[in-house]
């Protein structure tokens, strides 16, 4: 019988003590979007 918990954000099954990286991916994607938006606004 295995023990795990589920990430409330993405639903991933995680081992005891394991933290999900889904929040880190969101942060990285947001930073990337901000850089792209900043670059495209600078060109105009």
């Amino acid at each position: 019988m295995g023990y795990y918990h589920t990430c409330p954000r993405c639903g991933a099954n995680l081992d005891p003590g394991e933290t999900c990286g889904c929040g880190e991916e969101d942060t990285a994607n947001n930073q990337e979007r901000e850089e792209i938006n900043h670059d495209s606004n600078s060109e105009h």
Side-chain angles (χ1 to χ4, degrees):
M1 181 167 136
Y3 293 94
Y4 66 92
H5 66 277
T6 304
C7 174
R9 293 185 71 191
C10 70
N13 293 327
L14 305 168
D15 294 327
E18 182 180 13
T19 57
C20 189
C22 69
E24 295 171 7
E25 292 173 10
D26 290 343
T27 302
N29 288 337
N30 287 341
Q31 289 175 345
E32 194 172 303
R33 276 190 223 114
E34 288 174 7
E35 290 173 5
I36 291 170
N37 287 338
H38 178 66
D39 290 344
S40 64
N41 289 338
S42 298
E43 293 173 3
H44 297 286

